[in-house]
mmCIF file of all heavy atoms in Angstrom:
data_model
loop_
_atom_site.group_PDB
_atom_site.id
_atom_site.type_symbol
_atom_site.label_atom_id
_atom_site.label_comp_id
_atom_site.label_asym_id
_atom_site.label_seq_id
_atom_site.Cartn_x
_atom_site.Cartn_y
_atom_site.Cartn_z
ATOM 1 N N GLU A 184 -10.623 0.472 2.293
ATOM 2 C CA GLU A 184 -11.519 -0.657 2.541
ATOM 3 C C GLU A 184 -11.429 -1.717 1.441
ATOM 4 O O GLU A 184 -11.459 -2.904 1.693
ATOM 5 C CB GLU A 184 -12.954 -0.149 2.666
ATOM 6 C CG GLU A 184 -13.963 -1.226 2.982
ATOM 7 C CD GLU A 184 -15.370 -0.669 3.144
ATOM 8 O OE1 GLU A 184 -15.556 0.552 2.989
ATOM 9 O OE2 GLU A 184 -16.279 -1.466 3.415
ATOM 10 N N HIS A 185 -11.308 -1.260 0.194
ATOM 11 C CA HIS A 185 -11.277 -2.190 -0.940
ATOM 12 C C HIS A 185 -10.072 -1.831 -1.792
ATOM 13 O O HIS A 185 -10.016 -0.750 -2.385
ATOM 14 C CB HIS A 185 -12.565 -2.078 -1.753
ATOM 15 C CG HIS A 185 -12.668 -3.088 -2.846
ATOM 16 N ND1 HIS A 185 -13.331 -4.279 -2.712
ATOM 17 C CD2 HIS A 185 -12.155 -3.100 -4.104
ATOM 18 C CE1 HIS A 185 -13.251 -4.981 -3.823
ATOM 19 N NE2 HIS A 185 -12.541 -4.283 -4.688
ATOM 20 N N VAL A 186 -9.097 -2.743 -1.861
ATOM 21 C CA VAL A 186 -7.878 -2.493 -2.631
ATOM 22 C C VAL A 186 -7.839 -3.517 -3.766
ATOM 23 O O VAL A 186 -7.616 -4.707 -3.541
ATOM 24 C CB VAL A 186 -6.623 -2.626 -1.746
ATOM 25 C CG1 VAL A 186 -5.384 -2.226 -2.539
ATOM 26 C CG2 VAL A 186 -6.748 -1.780 -0.492
ATOM 27 N N SER A 187 -8.087 -3.052 -4.997
ATOM 28 C CA SER A 187 -8.166 -3.958 -6.144
ATOM 29 C C SER A 187 -6.859 -3.938 -6.923
ATOM 30 O O SER A 187 -5.931 -3.171 -6.619
ATOM 31 C CB SER A 187 -9.313 -3.538 -7.063
ATOM 32 O OG SER A 187 -8.947 -2.384 -7.797
ATOM 33 N N PHE A 188 -6.786 -4.785 -7.944
ATOM 34 C CA PHE A 188 -5.574 -4.835 -8.773
ATOM 35 C C PHE A 188 -5.331 -3.508 -9.483
ATOM 36 O O PHE A 188 -4.204 -3.196 -9.863
ATOM 37 C CB PHE A 188 -5.677 -5.979 -9.789
ATOM 38 C CG PHE A 188 -6.579 -5.697 -10.946
ATOM 39 C CD1 PHE A 188 -6.072 -5.214 -12.133
ATOM 40 C CD2 PHE A 188 -7.954 -5.895 -10.848
ATOM 41 C CE1 PHE A 188 -6.895 -4.948 -13.208
ATOM 42 C CE2 PHE A 188 -8.776 -5.622 -11.916
ATOM 43 C CZ PHE A 188 -8.261 -5.153 -13.098
ATOM 44 N N LEU A 189 -6.405 -2.709 -9.641
ATOM 45 C CA LEU A 189 -6.238 -1.397 -10.266
ATOM 46 C C LEU A 189 -5.382 -0.479 -9.405
ATOM 47 O O LEU A 189 -4.806 0.491 -9.897
ATOM 48 C CB LEU A 189 -7.610 -0.751 -10.500
ATOM 49 C CG LEU A 189 -8.548 -1.471 -11.476
ATOM 50 C CD1 LEU A 189 -9.917 -0.800 -11.482
ATOM 51 C CD2 LEU A 189 -7.964 -1.481 -12.873
ATOM 52 N N ASN A 190 -5.297 -0.772 -8.109
ATOM 53 C CA ASN A 190 -4.519 0.064 -7.191
ATOM 54 C C ASN A 190 -3.047 -0.352 -7.130
ATOM 55 O O ASN A 190 -2.246 0.324 -6.481
ATOM 56 C CB ASN A 190 -5.109 -0.017 -5.780
ATOM 57 C CG ASN A 190 -6.573 0.348 -5.732
ATOM 58 O OD1 ASN A 190 -7.389 -0.393 -5.183
ATOM 59 N ND2 ASN A 190 -6.937 1.476 -6.315
ATOM 60 N N LYS A 191 -2.702 -1.458 -7.771
ATOM 61 C CA LYS A 191 -1.348 -1.993 -7.636
ATOM 62 C C LYS A 191 -0.292 -0.976 -8.072
ATOM 63 O O LYS A 191 0.721 -0.780 -7.379
ATOM 64 C CB LYS A 191 -1.217 -3.277 -8.455
ATOM 65 C CG LYS A 191 0.177 -3.874 -8.418
ATOM 66 C CD LYS A 191 0.276 -5.122 -9.292
ATOM 67 C CE LYS A 191 1.703 -5.636 -9.341
ATOM 68 N NZ LYS A 191 1.823 -6.828 -10.207
ATOM 69 N N ALA A 192 -0.508 -0.335 -9.212
ATOM 70 C CA ALA A 192 0.496 0.591 -9.744
ATOM 71 C C ALA A 192 0.795 1.706 -8.751
ATOM 72 O O ALA A 192 1.955 2.055 -8.509
ATOM 73 C CB ALA A 192 0.019 1.175 -11.075
ATOM 74 N N SER A 193 -0.269 2.258 -8.160
ATOM 75 C CA SER A 193 -0.086 3.359 -7.215
ATOM 76 C C SER A 193 0.709 2.912 -5.988
ATOM 77 O O SER A 193 1.616 3.601 -5.531
ATOM 78 C CB SER A 193 -1.454 3.894 -6.798
ATOM 79 O OG SER A 193 -1.321 4.881 -5.815
ATOM 80 N N ILE A 194 0.351 1.735 -5.443
ATOM 81 C CA ILE A 194 1.016 1.251 -4.241
ATOM 82 C C ILE A 194 2.475 0.914 -4.522
ATOM 83 O O ILE A 194 3.375 1.247 -3.738
ATOM 84 C CB ILE A 194 0.250 0.032 -3.677
ATOM 85 C CG1 ILE A 194 -1.086 0.504 -3.105
ATOM 86 C CG2 ILE A 194 1.066 -0.691 -2.621
ATOM 87 C CD1 ILE A 194 -1.991 -0.597 -2.630
ATOM 88 N N VAL A 195 2.750 0.260 -5.660
ATOM 89 C CA VAL A 195 4.128 -0.090 -6.011
ATOM 90 C C VAL A 195 4.992 1.155 -6.150
ATOM 91 O O VAL A 195 6.127 1.219 -5.633
ATOM 92 C CB VAL A 195 4.159 -0.918 -7.318
ATOM 93 C CG1 VAL A 195 5.584 -1.041 -7.848
ATOM 94 C CG2 VAL A 195 3.565 -2.299 -7.086
ATOM 95 N N LEU A 196 4.467 2.169 -6.835
ATOM 96 C CA LEU A 196 5.228 3.404 -7.008
ATOM 97 C C LEU A 196 5.480 4.090 -5.661
ATOM 98 O O LEU A 196 6.564 4.644 -5.421
ATOM 99 C CB LEU A 196 4.485 4.354 -7.951
ATOM 100 C CG LEU A 196 4.485 3.943 -9.436
ATOM 101 C CD1 LEU A 196 3.582 4.867 -10.241
ATOM 102 C CD2 LEU A 196 5.907 3.963 -9.999
ATOM 103 N N THR A 197 4.502 4.062 -4.776
ATOM 104 C CA THR A 197 4.669 4.663 -3.452
ATOM 105 C C THR A 197 5.760 3.946 -2.671
ATOM 106 O O THR A 197 6.636 4.576 -2.053
ATOM 107 C CB THR A 197 3.343 4.612 -2.668
ATOM 108 O OG1 THR A 197 2.365 5.358 -3.379
ATOM 109 C CG2 THR A 197 3.508 5.183 -1.275
ATOM 110 N N LEU A 198 5.731 2.616 -2.706
ATOM 111 C CA LEU A 198 6.737 1.848 -1.980
ATOM 112 C C LEU A 198 8.132 2.065 -2.562
ATOM 113 O O LEU A 198 9.124 2.151 -1.831
ATOM 114 C CB LEU A 198 6.376 0.360 -2.008
ATOM 115 C CG LEU A 198 5.069 -0.026 -1.294
ATOM 116 C CD1 LEU A 198 4.787 -1.522 -1.480
ATOM 117 C CD2 LEU A 198 5.121 0.330 0.188
ATOM 118 N N GLU A 199 8.210 2.159 -3.877
ATOM 119 C CA GLU A 199 9.515 2.370 -4.519
ATOM 120 C C GLU A 199 10.113 3.727 -4.164
ATOM 121 O O GLU A 199 11.335 3.886 -4.122
ATOM 122 C CB GLU A 199 9.374 2.247 -6.035
ATOM 123 C CG GLU A 199 9.191 0.820 -6.535
ATOM 124 C CD GLU A 199 9.035 0.748 -8.040
ATOM 125 O OE1 GLU A 199 8.929 1.822 -8.673
ATOM 126 O OE2 GLU A 199 9.002 -0.381 -8.577
ATOM 127 N N ASN A 200 9.233 4.709 -3.937
ATOM 128 C CA ASN A 200 9.708 6.070 -3.678
ATOM 129 C C ASN A 200 9.839 6.403 -2.194
ATOM 130 O O ASN A 200 10.082 7.556 -1.836
ATOM 131 C CB ASN A 200 8.776 7.083 -4.350
ATOM 132 C CG ASN A 200 8.883 7.037 -5.873
ATOM 133 O OD1 ASN A 200 9.986 7.079 -6.418
ATOM 134 N ND2 ASN A 200 7.764 6.920 -6.544
ATOM 135 N N LEU A 201 9.657 5.420 -1.319
ATOM 136 C CA LEU A 201 9.876 5.670 0.111
ATOM 137 C C LEU A 201 11.354 5.987 0.350
ATOM 138 O O LEU A 201 12.241 5.373 -0.271
ATOM 139 C CB LEU A 201 9.470 4.445 0.931
ATOM 140 C CG LEU A 201 7.963 4.166 1.031
ATOM 141 C CD1 LEU A 201 7.714 2.803 1.675
ATOM 142 C CD2 LEU A 201 7.258 5.265 1.824
ATOM 143 N N PRO A 202 11.648 6.926 1.212
ATOM 144 C CA PRO A 202 13.067 7.270 1.457
ATOM 145 C C PRO A 202 13.818 6.121 2.143
ATOM 146 O O PRO A 202 13.251 5.387 2.951
ATOM 147 C CB PRO A 202 12.969 8.499 2.367
ATOM 148 C CG PRO A 202 11.606 8.432 2.985
ATOM 149 C CD PRO A 202 10.734 7.762 1.986
ATOM 150 N N ASP A 203 15.096 5.982 1.790
ATOM 151 C CA ASP A 203 15.936 4.985 2.466
ATOM 152 C C ASP A 203 16.056 5.329 3.950
ATOM 153 O O ASP A 203 15.895 6.500 4.358
ATOM 154 C CB ASP A 203 17.325 4.948 1.829
ATOM 155 C CG ASP A 203 17.281 4.455 0.391
ATOM 156 O OD1 ASP A 203 16.214 3.917 -0.011
ATOM 157 O OD2 ASP A 203 18.277 4.624 -0.341
ATOM 158 N N ASN A 204 16.345 4.332 4.747
ATOM 159 C CA ASN A 204 16.555 4.490 6.190
ATOM 160 C C ASN A 204 15.299 4.943 6.933
ATOM 161 O O ASN A 204 15.395 5.534 8.012
ATOM 162 C CB ASN A 204 17.691 5.490 6.472
ATOM 163 C CG ASN A 204 18.950 5.151 5.703
ATOM 164 O OD1 ASN A 204 19.438 4.024 5.781
ATOM 165 N ND2 ASN A 204 19.464 6.119 4.938
ATOM 166 N N SER A 205 14.132 4.723 6.360
ATOM 167 C CA SER A 205 12.897 5.172 7.015
ATOM 168 C C SER A 205 12.248 4.041 7.798
ATOM 169 O O SER A 205 12.617 2.868 7.677
ATOM 170 C CB SER A 205 11.921 5.728 5.978
ATOM 171 O OG SER A 205 11.654 4.761 4.971
ATOM 172 N N TYR A 206 11.256 4.430 8.592
ATOM 173 C CA TYR A 206 10.498 3.485 9.415
ATOM 174 C C TYR A 206 9.071 3.501 8.856
ATOM 175 O O TYR A 206 8.387 4.521 8.882
ATOM 176 C CB TYR A 206 10.545 3.953 10.868
ATOM 177 C CG TYR A 206 9.858 3.046 11.882
ATOM 178 C CD1 TYR A 206 9.315 1.817 11.530
ATOM 179 C CD2 TYR A 206 9.773 3.448 13.220
ATOM 180 C CE1 TYR A 206 8.708 1.011 12.467
ATOM 181 C CE2 TYR A 206 9.159 2.645 14.177
ATOM 182 C CZ TYR A 206 8.635 1.424 13.794
ATOM 183 O OH TYR A 206 8.019 0.630 14.731
ATOM 184 N N VAL A 207 8.611 2.366 8.319
ATOM 185 C CA VAL A 207 7.345 2.315 7.575
ATOM 186 C C VAL A 207 6.390 1.309 8.217
ATOM 187 O O VAL A 207 6.803 0.196 8.585
ATOM 188 C CB VAL A 207 7.584 1.931 6.094
ATOM 189 C CG1 VAL A 207 6.251 1.849 5.334
ATOM 190 C CG2 VAL A 207 8.521 2.925 5.425
ATOM 191 N N ILE A 208 5.120 1.726 8.331
ATOM 192 C CA ILE A 208 4.065 0.819 8.792
ATOM 193 C C ILE A 208 3.014 0.713 7.682
ATOM 194 O O ILE A 208 2.508 1.729 7.197
ATOM 195 C CB ILE A 208 3.399 1.330 10.083
ATOM 196 C CG1 ILE A 208 4.410 1.340 11.240
ATOM 197 C CG2 ILE A 208 2.185 0.457 10.443
ATOM 198 C CD1 ILE A 208 3.869 1.945 12.518
ATOM 199 N N ILE A 209 2.719 -0.522 7.268
ATOM 200 C CA ILE A 209 1.616 -0.756 6.320
ATOM 201 C C ILE A 209 0.473 -1.377 7.116
ATOM 202 O O ILE A 209 0.625 -2.470 7.677
ATOM 203 C CB ILE A 209 2.044 -1.683 5.175
ATOM 204 C CG1 ILE A 209 3.202 -1.057 4.381
ATOM 205 C CG2 ILE A 209 0.854 -1.955 4.239
ATOM 206 C CD1 ILE A 209 3.741 -1.948 3.278
ATOM 207 N N ASP A 210 -0.645 -0.676 7.164
ATOM 208 C CA ASP A 210 -1.756 -1.067 8.044
ATOM 209 C C ASP A 210 -3.000 -1.403 7.216
ATOM 210 O O ASP A 210 -3.539 -0.553 6.502
ATOM 211 C CB ASP A 210 -2.050 0.084 9.018
ATOM 212 C CG ASP A 210 -3.087 -0.299 10.063
ATOM 213 O OD1 ASP A 210 -3.612 -1.434 10.009
ATOM 214 O OD2 ASP A 210 -3.391 0.552 10.932
ATOM 215 N N GLY A 211 -3.459 -2.658 7.308
ATOM 216 C CA GLY A 211 -4.665 -3.070 6.589
ATOM 217 C C GLY A 211 -5.858 -3.269 7.499
ATOM 218 O O GLY A 211 -6.781 -4.036 7.153
ATOM 219 N N GLU A 212 -5.877 -2.572 8.632
ATOM 220 C CA GLU A 212 -6.929 -2.759 9.634
ATOM 221 C C GLU A 212 -8.326 -2.524 9.063
ATOM 222 O O GLU A 212 -9.283 -3.238 9.384
ATOM 223 C CB GLU A 212 -6.686 -1.822 10.825
ATOM 224 C CG GLU A 212 -7.735 -1.946 11.925
ATOM 225 C CD GLU A 212 -7.502 -0.948 13.044
ATOM 226 O OE1 GLU A 212 -6.589 -0.098 12.917
ATOM 227 O OE2 GLU A 212 -8.235 -1.020 14.041
ATOM 228 N N ASN A 213 -8.468 -1.519 8.196
ATOM 229 C CA ASN A 213 -9.795 -1.166 7.663
ATOM 230 C C ASN A 213 -10.130 -1.874 6.354
ATOM 231 O O ASN A 213 -11.169 -1.621 5.759
ATOM 232 C CB ASN A 213 -9.886 0.349 7.444
ATOM 233 C CG ASN A 213 -9.769 1.116 8.737
ATOM 234 O OD1 ASN A 213 -10.186 0.632 9.793
ATOM 235 N ND2 ASN A 213 -9.197 2.324 8.675
ATOM 236 N N SER A 214 -9.249 -2.739 5.898
ATOM 237 C CA SER A 214 -9.445 -3.356 4.583
ATOM 238 C C SER A 214 -10.292 -4.626 4.685
ATOM 239 O O SER A 214 -9.966 -5.543 5.444
ATOM 240 C CB SER A 214 -8.089 -3.704 3.955
ATOM 241 O OG SER A 214 -7.306 -2.539 3.793
ATOM 242 N N GLU A 215 -11.367 -4.656 3.894
ATOM 243 C CA GLU A 215 -12.187 -5.858 3.802
ATOM 244 C C GLU A 215 -11.682 -6.782 2.691
ATOM 245 O O GLU A 215 -11.887 -7.993 2.734
ATOM 246 C CB GLU A 215 -13.650 -5.491 3.537
ATOM 247 C CG GLU A 215 -14.328 -4.815 4.711
ATOM 248 C CD GLU A 215 -15.814 -4.637 4.487
ATOM 249 O OE1 GLU A 215 -16.322 -5.107 3.452
ATOM 250 O OE2 GLU A 215 -16.466 -4.022 5.343
ATOM 251 N N PHE A 216 -11.049 -6.193 1.678
ATOM 252 C CA PHE A 216 -10.529 -6.992 0.560
ATOM 253 C C PHE A 216 -9.251 -6.362 0.042
ATOM 254 O O PHE A 216 -9.182 -5.150 -0.183
ATOM 255 C CB PHE A 216 -11.550 -7.075 -0.574
ATOM 256 C CG PHE A 216 -10.989 -7.691 -1.834
ATOM 257 C CD1 PHE A 216 -10.883 -9.071 -1.947
ATOM 258 C CD2 PHE A 216 -10.538 -6.904 -2.881
ATOM 259 C CE1 PHE A 216 -10.339 -9.650 -3.088
ATOM 260 C CE2 PHE A 216 -10.003 -7.469 -4.028
ATOM 261 C CZ PHE A 216 -9.905 -8.853 -4.127
ATOM 262 N N ILE A 217 -8.218 -7.201 -0.101
ATOM 263 C CA ILE A 217 -6.966 -6.764 -0.717
ATOM 264 C C ILE A 217 -6.643 -7.760 -1.822
ATOM 265 O O ILE A 217 -6.503 -8.964 -1.566
ATOM 266 C CB ILE A 217 -5.809 -6.705 0.306
ATOM 267 C CG1 ILE A 217 -6.167 -5.813 1.496
ATOM 268 C CG2 ILE A 217 -4.536 -6.183 -0.364
ATOM 269 C CD1 ILE A 217 -5.130 -5.809 2.601
#
């Protein structure tokens, strides 16, 4: 629901470690603030 700058490190690391050749969906449907 609330994604602050404090969450940036976690999200960046997750995106960097996604496997190659994968199919990824990033969904912000429930987010009130990013």
Side-chain angles (χ1 to χ4, degrees):
E184 182 178 1
H185 186 95
V186 186
S187 75
F188 76 95
L189 296 174
N190 305 129
K191 178 182 175 181
S193 175
I194 290 175
V195 168
L196 288 173
T197 299
L198 296 176
E199 286 179 353
N200 291 310
L201 288 171
D203 295 347
N204 308 307
S205 56
Y206 183 5
V207 179
I208 295 175
I209 299 177
D210 186 358
E212 180 183 5
N213 296 328
S214 300
E215 291 188 4
F216 171 80
I217 304 175

